Amino acid sequence: MSLHRLRDPVIGRARSLLQARLGAFHPSSPISSRYISRYSTWNVQRFSAGDGSHFRPVPFSCFTGACGRALHLESVGIRFFSSTDSSHAVLEMPALSPTMNQGNIAKWRKKEGDKIAVGDVLCEIETDKATLEFESLEEGYLAKILVPEGSKDVPVGQPIAITVEDPDDINRVLANDVSGATDVKREKNEASTQASSVEINSEKLPPHIVLEMPALSPTMNQGNIATWRKKEGDKIEVGDVICEIETDKATLEFESLEEGYLAKILAPEGSKDVAVGKPIAITVEDLADIESVKSAVSSRSGIKEDKPADSTVKNNVETLNGGGAVARISPAAKLLIAEHGLDVSSLKASGSHGTLLKGDVLAAIKSGKGLSEVSLSREKKSPEVHAQASSAVLSETKPSTKQSDSFEDLPNSQIRKVIAKRLLESKQNTPHLYLSTDVVLDPLLSLRKNLKEKHDVKVSVNDIVIKAVAVALRNVHGANAYWDDVKGEVVFCDSIDISIAVATEKGLMTPIVRNADLKTISAISSEVKELAEKARAGKLKPDEFQGGTFSISNLGMFPVDNFCAIINPPQAGILAVGRGNKVVEPIIGDDGIERPVVVNKMNLTLSADHRVFDGKVGGEFLSALQANFSSIQRLLL
């Protein structure tokens, strides 16, 4: 059956839609995106034969969007085969726009049991851009609606309905296959849940308390066990630090709220990505109860062990397919077999009814099975031609020893993971406005020198910049604000809290100087030093890095003349401070004669949320900031 594009003229179905159909032979074998390019001029039609359903390629022109470029659409459906030989297709929530990751089911146009023709509108889906119609790609009958009308925030890829070819199959699907439509996903989720949980027999346990992974910050949903301060059997007092937990912001101490004994550690030291609410330890009141707890708690306390899930799914698939004999070959597998000269008899099929899938061929290539002597010699003699034909496959089949010589994987800390996520969201979702100016540094440097010589007060250039920015925010109230996504409006802040970017080994931290406009320069200097030390040691408290109304990022200590910083949501502004440079400028003296003079200048670049800042507010803020640097003595008032 021919593929149809959506009725919305801006969005076309392209290669990823084809990916969904070619990957429909089995849920465990999605077509890799790097192989889609060679199928970009092929359509897929299904035709009937005496022994079941097959697929064959048919030429067609690639669909294009409004700009003439191929647009991507994520998986639309996956075809399954039940034990009663009645085929059905599981329709998944499609990605109807490049930025869509979830959608709402606005309305179902078809009801359960209705006949479906090619191009019929099944339902209306509300995306992040508009409400679009989801059309059927094949004929059949709507057997079961899995996601009812009005459902909100349905993730892309989640099954939403099941269709069948024959109306007689509807009852069999409802009886047998509805639960099996997402068996693979369910088995993986269940195995993952079992792997990340701990078996506790409560009936055998004495009076005890199960300690769970706490939420140590509003944005925390998982954490790492950095260090256990207490060992199994140790006495615990109220306020004792049990362990150190690495959150998405810093490494914090987890203190005990009750007395007792640490009977069992369920999440060992070094455990990664432990979800909030998961059990991490068990405490008891009586020392004699420790052994009872250890005997009652299972030793299976691993976190995120996915191997059992993979093996379970693989065994189930092999059992259903009856030994892995090759009865059919998918188009993608045929191309790989022809390209690499594989021996089909040595390959094992994992698809339904003995279908050999692309994943089976790739697995054989990795292991070296099925490669004939001719293909091996051809690979040695013509590596360049082979690389052009299948560079992606070669990258997968290279020995791991060679890969380890060329690069090294560096695990990310929780802080770096959050930084990467937040900064990407900021650039994607926040309309950045950039405004830049130069300020004369000589009055600032003169003030800093006088404070040191006359009052023995040592402050840095950054300390004075913080004070100057805080005073400018106080004078331009419209700049000390942020955008509320929920309300869709600007919110003005009462206090001026400056976030300072501090580089640490684990990532960038932003401790906050509260009410900076009300503090002296020396007080700001002392507070910044203390916060920076805590940040580098990972000892910042949540109230010391959460919040803030404006940020400053200073790279003046490096050979960086100017740069544009990324806004730290939900704040609406961040000031990028470059290094000071000596420049020659014409200055008019008291006698009215213009003479060349060497001055120190520093570049300041404001990155502002254009929903909060317009050009007028941004210009007023930079003007006030420039005035503070020109008349630096006013900061002491």
Side-chain angles (χ1 to χ4, degrees):
M1 319 229 172
S2 59
L3 298 181
H4 287 252
R5 74 170 80 185
L6 294 172
R7 291 182 181 175
D8 191 317
V10 179
I11 300 178
R13 292 202 172 129
R15 292 176 292 176
S16 51
L17 186 148
L18 182 62
Q19 175 182 354
R21 299 309 304 137
L22 289 177
F25 291 98
H26 195 271
S28 64
S29 62
I31 291 292
S32 176
S33 60
R34 56 178 169 268
Y35 289 103
I36 292 301
S37 58
R38 68 182 63 184
Y39 295 104
S40 59
T41 57
W42 294 89
N43 188 5
V44 173
Q45 290 188 350
R46 184 175 54 77
F47 63 95
S48 299
D51 58 348
S53 298
H54 301 267
F55 293 80
R56 62 184 175 87
V58 179
F60 83 111
S61 299
C62 185
F63 296 126
T64 58
C67 298
R69 295 178 300 176
L71 300 179
H72 290 271
L73 181 68
E74 295 299 328
S75 300
V76 175
I78 297 179
R79 178 164 297 282
F80 293 80
F81 296 85
S82 69
S83 57
T84 58
D85 204 29
S86 62
S87 62
H88 64 276
V90 178
L91 303 181
E92 299 177 347
M93 172 64 73
L96 301 178
S97 73
T99 59
M100 175 181 174
N101 52 28
Q102 60 185 16
N104 305 333
I105 304 295
K107 183 179 181 180
W108 279 100
R109 294 279 194 88
K110 296 290 184 178
K111 299 179 181 178
E112 293 182 356
D114 284 358
K115 169 71 175 177
I116 302 172
V118 174
D120 281 358
V121 178
L122 298 177
C123 64
E124 295 177 2
I125 296 176
E126 183 181 1
T127 73
D128 55 347
K129 301 294 184 183
T131 300
L132 303 176
E133 295 175 338
F134 182 28
E135 295 180 0
S136 175
L137 304 180
E138 296 185 337
E139 295 180 357
Y141 294 83
L142 183 58
K144 180 66 177 178
I145 294 176
L146 303 177
V147 179
E149 186 171 299
S151 298
K152 304 290 185 181
D153 301 331
V154 182
V156 169
Q158 176 176 317
I160 61 174
I162 298 177
T163 63
V164 295
E165 299 177 0
D166 194 322
D168 296 333
D169 293 335
I170 295 178
N171 292 333
R172 279 184 286 183
V173 167
L174 296 178
N176 302 323
D177 290 338
V178 170
S179 60
T182 55
D183 275 347
V184 175
K185 292 183 179 180
R186 181 179 295 110
E187 287 177 13
K188 288 184 178 180
N189 292 336
E190 290 176 354
S192 177
T193 302
Q194 292 174 0
S196 61
S197 62
V198 180
E199 293 184 358
I200 302 176
N201 189 345
S202 299
E203 296 179 357
K204 297 181 180 180
L205 287 179
H208 66 282
I209 297 175
V210 178
L211 302 181
E212 300 176 346
M213 172 63 74
L216 300 178
S217 72
T219 59
M220 174 182 173
N221 51 28
Q222 60 185 16
N224 304 334
I225 304 295
T227 305
W228 278 100
R229 293 279 193 88
K230 296 290 185 178
K231 299 179 182 179
E232 292 183 358
D234 284 357
K235 171 69 175 176
I236 301 174
E237 302 289 344
V238 175
D240 281 357
V241 176
I242 301 177
C243 64
E244 294 181 1
I245 297 175
E246 184 185 31
T247 72
D248 55 348
K249 297 291 186 180
T251 301
L252 304 177
E253 297 176 340
F254 182 27
E255 298 181 353
S256 175
L257 303 179
E258 296 188 17
E259 296 181 358
Y261 295 88
L262 183 58
K264 181 67 177 178
I265 294 176
L266 305 178
E269 190 171 291
S271 298
K272 303 290 185 181
D273 301 334
V274 183
V276 169
K278 288 294 182 182
I280 61 173
I282 298 178
T283 64
V284 294
E285 299 177 0
D286 194 347
L287 181 62
D289 294 333
I290 294 179
E291 294 300 325
S292 301
V293 171
K294 290 183 178 180
S295 60
V297 177
S298 165
S299 61
R300 293 198 306 112
S301 59
I303 304 298
K304 284 196 172 181
E305 296 177 359
D306 293 329
K307 291 184 179 179
D310 293 338
S311 61
T312 302
V313 175
K314 184 176 179 181
N315 292 336
N316 291 341
V317 170
E318 291 182 353
T319 303
L320 291 173
N321 292 327
V326 178
R328 307 166 185 167
I329 304 176
S330 69
K334 285 181 180 179
L335 285 176
L336 290 176
I337 291 172
E339 182 177 327
H340 293 272
L342 302 179
D343 183 8
V344 178
S345 62
S346 64
L347 303 179
K348 184 178 292 186
S350 64
S352 300
H353 298 273
T355 302
L356 183 67
L357 305 174
K358 184 207 70 172
D360 304 328
V361 180
L362 290 177
I365 294 174
K366 282 186 177 182
S367 62
K369 294 180 180 178
L371 290 174
S372 63
E373 295 181 359
V374 176
S375 63
L376 290 173
S377 62
R378 183 178 59 188
E379 289 180 2
K380 293 180 179 178
K381 293 181 180 179
S382 57
E384 294 181 357
V385 176
H386 188 72
Q388 294 175 358
S390 181
S391 59
V393 174
L394 283 176
S395 64
E396 290 186 2
T397 57
K398 287 181 181 179
S400 58
T401 55
K402 293 184 179 179
Q403 292 181 354
S404 62
D405 294 338
S406 59
F407 66 88
E408 178 184 359
D409 290 332
L410 179 64
N412 268 335
S413 63
Q414 287 296 102
I415 295 176
R416 291 191 182 275
K417 290 179 182 178
V418 173
I419 291 172
K421 180 180 179 181
R422 298 285 170 79
L423 293 184
L424 177 62
E425 291 175 352
S426 177
K427 288 294 288 184
Q428 289 179 333
N429 303 325
T430 304
H432 281 58
L433 170 67
Y434 301 104
L435 302 173
S436 182
T437 188
D438 292 329
V439 295
V440 178
L441 271 181
D442 293 289
L444 184 151
L445 298 176
S446 178
L447 172 64
R448 182 168 176 256
K449 182 178 179 181
N450 290 336
L451 290 176
K452 182 178 180 181
E453 292 179 351
K454 297 180 180 180
H455 304 283
D456 196 25
V457 175
K458 297 180 181 180
V459 296
S460 66
V461 172
N462 193 56
D463 300 330
I464 303 177
V465 170
I466 295 172
K467 179 66 175 181
V469 170
V471 173
L473 289 172
R474 183 178 63 192
N475 295 335
V476 184
H477 184 60
N480 193 44
Y482 67 92
W483 179 262
D484 191 325
D485 282 323
V486 178
K487 297 179 181 179
E489 61 186 19
V490 178
V491 178
F492 295 99
C493 304
D494 295 329
S495 62
I496 298 175
D497 304 325
I498 306 296
S499 300
I500 310 300
V502 177
T504 68
E505 292 182 357
K506 296 182 179 179
L508 193 67
M509 296 296 297
T510 53
I512 302 169
V513 179
R514 306 280 180 183
N515 299 309
D517 60 318
L518 304 178
K519 295 178 179 178
T520 64
I521 297 176
S522 59
I524 291 175
S525 178
S526 300
E527 188 171 345
V528 168
K529 291 177 182 177
E530 181 182 354
L531 291 172
E533 290 177 0
K534 287 185 177 181
R536 294 187 179 97
K539 301 298 182 181
L540 284 175
K541 297 179 181 179
D543 62 304
E544 292 176 329
F545 58 80
Q546 293 174 4
T549 62
F550 193 90
S551 292
I552 297 176
S553 180
N554 190 349
L555 294 180
M557 66 290 298
F558 301 105
V560 177
D561 293 328
N562 55 72
F563 67 101
C564 296
I566 300 176
I567 298 172
N568 182 23
Q571 297 176 10
I574 181 171
L575 187 70
V577 181
R579 67 172 176 175
N581 291 300
K582 292 183 181 294
V583 297
V584 178
E585 285 196 348
I587 302 294
I588 300 177
D590 297 335
D591 54 1
I593 300 176
E594 189 176 75
R595 296 181 177 87
V597 178
V598 178
V599 296
N600 290 285
K601 277 199 167 184
M602 180 174 67
N603 178 264
L604 304 177
T605 301
L606 171 67
S607 301
D609 187 340
H610 212 334
R611 296 171 297 184
V612 178
F613 284 74
D614 53 20
K616 180 176 180 295
V617 175
E620 289 177 349
F621 171 73
L622 289 182
S623 296
L625 192 57
Q626 199 170 48
N628 290 340
F629 280 96
S630 299
S631 181
I632 201 72
Q633 300 294 335
R634 65 197 297 179
L635 301 180
L636 301 178
L637 301 177

